[in-house]
Amino acid sequence: MALEANKRLPSWWKDGVVVYQVYPASFKDDNGDGLGDLRGLINKLPYLKSLGIDAIWLGPHYKSPRVDEGYDISDYKDIHEPFGTLQDCQELIDKAHSHGLKIMFDLVVNHCSTEHAWFQESRKDESNPKRDWFYWRPARYDADGVRHPPNNWRAAFGGSVWGWDEATEEYYLHIFDVTQADLNWENPEVRQAIYKDAIRFWLDRGLDGFRIDTANLYSKRIDFPDAPITAPETPWQPASDLICNGPRLHEFLREMRRETFDHYDCFTIGELPNAPQLSQVLSYISTDAEALDCTILFDHMYLDHQDGQFPLMLTPWKLSDFKRLAAFSQELAEPENKAHALSYLENHDHARSVSRFASDGPEHRVASAKMLATYLLTLSGSLIIYEGEEIGMINAPKDWDIDAEYKDVCTVNTWREIKSEAGKTKDQTLLQRGREGIQHCARDHSRTPMQWDSSPNAGFSTNGYAKPWMRVMESYKEGINVAAQEDDPESPLNFYRRMLALRKEHKDVFVLGKFDLFDEENEQTMVYTKTSRDGSRVALVALNFTSEPQAFDVPSSLEKKSTGKLLLCTQGDGADGQLRPYEARVLLY
């Protein structure tokens, strides 16, 4: 619903909402071609409503060659044909609303596909009116006359950030894949075209908001200096500090809000990589900033893998760091910061949380899924649940062949670089470390088809024997599917439903309450309280992140109160002072 510009009305998301992310290619295939589609999602809206969520975030479904699975958009106003039509998309928006659900799309406007009409015009010749819609730069030549890119920045998916165009003999900037050309936000014509085609077009059709991809990459160091050499073994250097949070970013975000979002009752979730300081985050999401409503933080997601020359390399992580980052993200919910907190454990860019932060062993994975759900659903602010997280989906098994089964462009490029380097150096340990990292952290793990039942290919497609676009995991035969869990009161699925209902019932504590962490250095358990803002009620949350029983202490501040009421215990009756392996317990005082 359009509003008078800059009119501040209470918004649908202000007190905190639960957003369910749908990855369209992998959610539900209705037409039997092996690829998820909009009609499949429409048919599953009653299921999503039954979970107790408030909104849906639909991943990129726009027209695209899908080199980066839809984050390479060739037409912002059209739909990827195998997913459906504009009419299907409008029906999705309308039917989501009829179920009482809000719906959000991905907004991907740092870059577009090199197949987009804007870029096709731009590359025709150097005098084309759209040449300045992208970052074109001449080559550098060394003393021997050898051509080199304009600088040494490393692209997110490997190699240089510069793509060579033979026809016009210049380079264009692509922070991600070579088929994803960065749009020149310095050009006001570009910004106005984005506002018109990518934002207002959809908000005028009833959309309720956007998850904004790479929101702090719009402004860069456009003098393009070389990045410091931190990886001497490669010519391409990480350049986050030169790519992110550029000098005009606040200006661009404020203008985008004033000219689009402020005219609608919509919710904006900005993706802000490389923003480690609280003051920096608040400069984008506080109400005073007048830019974004909240942010997706990355700190938790980088705990277990490196982001250097070879992304996805495993690195040891400690629970004390996990807890510290949780406390940091919950600071955003403190009233004095005038901001909105948002938390998540999974999305399309990261592997499955049960496999990463707990245990996906058959004896522990149900308990692990419930423990992590308890953590997530007791945090203040808004939350994101990713498709399949509610049934405890896990990573792909380690016997999957990386070359044959993994599809993600980041995985493919990284694995190629690792194999090339290992071949040159004869370093077989590099190959093994790369394989282990991909098996643990690759984005592919979250992109396997949703597991609906025990029929062929987990009921993902109406044609059970159609080959899915990505291999289905065999774990659907082991109870990790919706149908098997619907009738099991102790399943992760029904636990999520109970927890979501409990979260709403005790909104003053779990959604709006103050987060306080205890025993910060304990590497086995996580204990924290959530206190209502008037101080009248306190919830104690105790989580065991290990496969062994662990003792936990009630904070002294609560010992003075009456005995806490047991709200939930994921294992046993909660009567003893020890937490069972991967147990979660919540008491209300």
Side-chain angles (χ1 to χ4, degrees):
M1 178 181 68
L3 302 173
E4 177 187 342
N6 298 313
K7 191 170 184 180
R8 296 286 186 259
L9 294 179
S11 296
W12 60 269
W13 56 271
K14 280 285 189 178
D15 284 344
V17 291
V18 177
V19 180
Y20 184 99
Q21 184 190 356
V22 169
Y23 194 70
S26 296
F27 190 63
K28 187 69 173 78
D29 169 26
D30 180 73
N31 64 8
D33 65 354
L35 189 70
D37 47 48
L38 297 181
R39 182 62 50 189
L41 172 54
I42 290 169
N43 292 339
K44 288 297 183 180
L45 288 173
Y47 166 76
L48 296 182
K49 179 65 176 178
S50 79
L51 295 177
I53 63 162
D54 304 293
I56 298 165
W57 155 24
L58 178 62
H61 54 289
Y62 310 100
K63 195 173 187 64
S64 167
R66 297 189 70 78
V67 174
D68 186 20
E69 292 306 323
Y71 285 90
D72 48 325
I73 297 169
S74 57
D75 189 340
Y76 290 101
K77 300 189 293 182
D78 203 356
I79 306 300
H80 183 52
E81 191 170 314
F83 287 167
T85 64
L86 270 174
Q87 184 177 350
D88 293 329
C89 196
Q90 186 63 57
E91 182 180 345
L92 171 63
I93 294 171
D94 295 340
K95 286 197 171 178
H97 290 162
S98 73
H99 281 85
L101 296 171
K102 303 292 187 181
I103 187 159
M104 308 173 68
F105 289 172
D106 251 299
L107 179 62
V108 187
V109 290
N110 172 71
H111 49 267
C112 67
S113 169
T114 52
E115 293 187 17
H116 195 292
W118 296 345
F119 187 79
Q120 291 297 310
E121 281 291 314
S122 180
R123 79 187 317 170
K124 283 183 176 178
D125 59 68
E126 293 181 46
S127 61
N128 189 279
K130 284 192 169 55
R131 187 71 170 181
D132 191 44
W133 283 42
F134 299 87
Y135 296 99
W136 290 94
R137 294 294 184 273
R140 293 194 298 188
Y141 291 90
D142 61 23
D144 297 322
V146 177
R147 170 173 57 82
H148 297 280
N151 66 19
N152 67 351
W153 295 0
R154 183 190 189 280
F157 301 152
S160 171
V161 299
W162 296 98
W164 176 249
D165 181 62
E166 289 286 352
T168 58
E169 295 189 320
E170 281 196 330
Y171 285 94
Y172 63 89
L173 182 72
H174 63 89
I175 299 301
F176 295 92
D177 187 71
V178 69
T179 64
Q180 293 168 291
D182 277 50
L183 287 154
N184 180 9
W185 273 73
E186 303 284 331
N187 185 332
E189 289 184 4
V190 172
R191 302 199 299 272
Q192 290 303 319
I194 288 169
Y195 303 157
K196 176 178 177 286
D197 285 11
I199 302 178
R200 293 194 202 98
F201 180 86
W202 292 107
L203 291 175
D204 286 340
R205 282 157 177 75
L207 196 69
D208 299 295
F210 293 99
R211 174 266 189 185
I212 306 176
D213 186 67
T214 58
N216 61 342
L217 271 62
Y218 302 162
S219 176
K220 308 163 178 72
R221 281 284 301 275
I222 57 173
D223 54 340
F224 299 113
D226 278 341
I229 297 175
T230 57
E233 66 278 8
T234 172
W236 315 119
Q237 303 300 311
S240 293
D241 290 340
L242 300 170
I243 292 169
C244 298
N245 309 306
R248 298 188 66 189
L249 183 61
H250 290 90
E251 174 192 344
F252 293 157
L253 292 176
R254 286 170 183 150
E255 179 188 271
M256 179 166 61
R257 178 169 184 144
R258 284 194 308 270
E259 299 208 16
T260 60
F261 307 134
D262 275 347
H263 295 260
Y264 305 82
D265 183 14
C266 70
F267 185 25
T268 57
I269 302 172
E271 186 185 38
L272 298 175
N274 195 37
Q277 303 301 321
L278 180 64
S279 59
Q280 192 173 34
V281 175
L282 290 174
S283 75
Y284 298 120
I285 71 165
S286 74
T287 53
D288 293 340
E290 295 190 331
L292 303 166
D293 293 326
C294 66
T295 180
I296 288 175
L297 296 173
F298 280 73
D299 308 84
H300 271 119
M301 295 301 108
Y302 289 151
L303 263 182
D304 59 357
H305 63 281
Q306 301 169 9
D307 191 29
Q309 178 193 358
F310 301 121
L312 308 178
M313 288 292 193
L314 279 177
T315 188
W317 67 280
K318 297 190 299 183
L319 183 59
S320 55
D321 288 330
F322 183 100
K323 293 191 283 190
R324 173 180 53 81
L325 294 171
F328 172 80
S329 67
Q330 286 289 277
E331 282 189 65
L332 297 173
E334 291 300 307
E336 62 268 23
N337 287 324
K338 296 188 287 186
H340 190 74
L342 179 136
S343 302
Y344 69 106
L345 284 172
E346 294 185 14
N347 67 24
H348 66 289
D349 277 336
H350 305 287
R352 294 292 184 176
S353 58
V354 168
S355 299
R356 295 178 67 190
F357 300 123
S359 171
D360 59 11
E363 71 278 23
H364 292 307
R365 60 194 183 200
V366 170
S368 294
K370 293 180 181 181
M371 184 271 290
L372 292 172
T374 304
Y375 161 74
L376 180 65
L377 296 176
T378 55
L379 296 178
S380 297
S382 292
L383 311 174
I384 295 172
I385 297 172
Y386 182 70
E387 67 178 51
E389 187 175 354
E390 77 275 19
I391 57 172
M393 284 184 68
I394 58 177
N395 279 359
K398 291 182 170 53
D399 62 1
W400 278 22
D401 182 80
I402 294 174
D403 293 294
E405 306 294 355
Y406 286 65
K407 309 289 186 185
D408 173 49
V409 63
C410 181
T411 306
V412 171
N413 290 359
T414 298
W415 184 231
R416 184 188 301 121
E417 286 187 341
I418 289 171
K419 289 191 295 183
S420 175
E421 184 68 16
K424 292 175 188 174
T425 62
K426 309 300 181 186
D427 182 359
Q428 292 305 303
T429 63
L430 173 61
L431 205 63
Q432 181 58 28
R433 286 186 293 117
R435 180 178 290 107
E436 290 173 353
I438 288 170
Q439 290 170 340
H440 188 76
C441 302
R443 304 196 298 185
D444 305 76
H445 298 294
S446 64
R447 300 179 179 191
T448 61
M450 178 70 175
Q451 297 170 192
W452 291 104
D453 58 38
S454 58
S455 66
N457 287 318
F460 165 65
S461 177
T462 52
N463 176 2
Y465 296 96
K467 184 179 180 180
W469 77 279
M470 190 172 183
R471 182 176 173 180
V472 175
M473 289 191 292
E474 295 298 306
S475 59
Y476 79 90
K477 299 176 182 178
E478 302 164 12
I480 305 183
N481 72 70
V482 172
Q485 294 189 20
E486 284 280 11
D487 297 327
D488 179 2
E490 300 305 317
S491 67
L493 174 59
N494 284 313
F495 183 78
Y496 265 87
R497 286 176 170 141
R498 290 195 299 274
M499 274 300 302
L500 284 162
L502 200 68
R503 177 177 175 82
K504 291 180 179 178
E505 180 184 352
H506 301 284
K507 177 179 176 179
D508 61 324
V509 173
F510 296 129
V511 181
L512 304 174
K514 176 176 169 50
F515 176 97
D516 288 295
L517 182 64
F518 295 88
D519 199 10
E520 292 94 334
E521 300 307 314
N522 188 312
E523 301 294 352
Q524 290 76 44
T525 62
M526 182 174 185
V527 177
Y528 55 91
T529 57
K530 295 297 300 298
T531 307
S532 62
R533 292 296 167 179
D534 64 4
S536 64
R537 304 207 304 160
V538 183
L540 172 67
V541 182
L543 311 170
N544 182 359
F545 275 77
T546 77
S547 60
E548 301 294 331
Q550 300 291 339
F552 79 98
D553 295 323
V554 175
S556 57
S557 58
L558 292 180
E559 289 179 342
K560 301 172 185 176
K561 294 180 176 284
S562 58
T563 303
K565 172 188 174 184
L566 185 67
L567 277 186
L568 72 89
C569 178
T570 57
Q571 297 189 63
D573 59 9
D576 56 35
Q578 276 200 326
L579 297 169
R580 291 171 173 78
Y582 301 104
E583 180 186 330
R585 199 176 299 180
V586 180
L587 297 100
L588 187 64
Y589 292 82

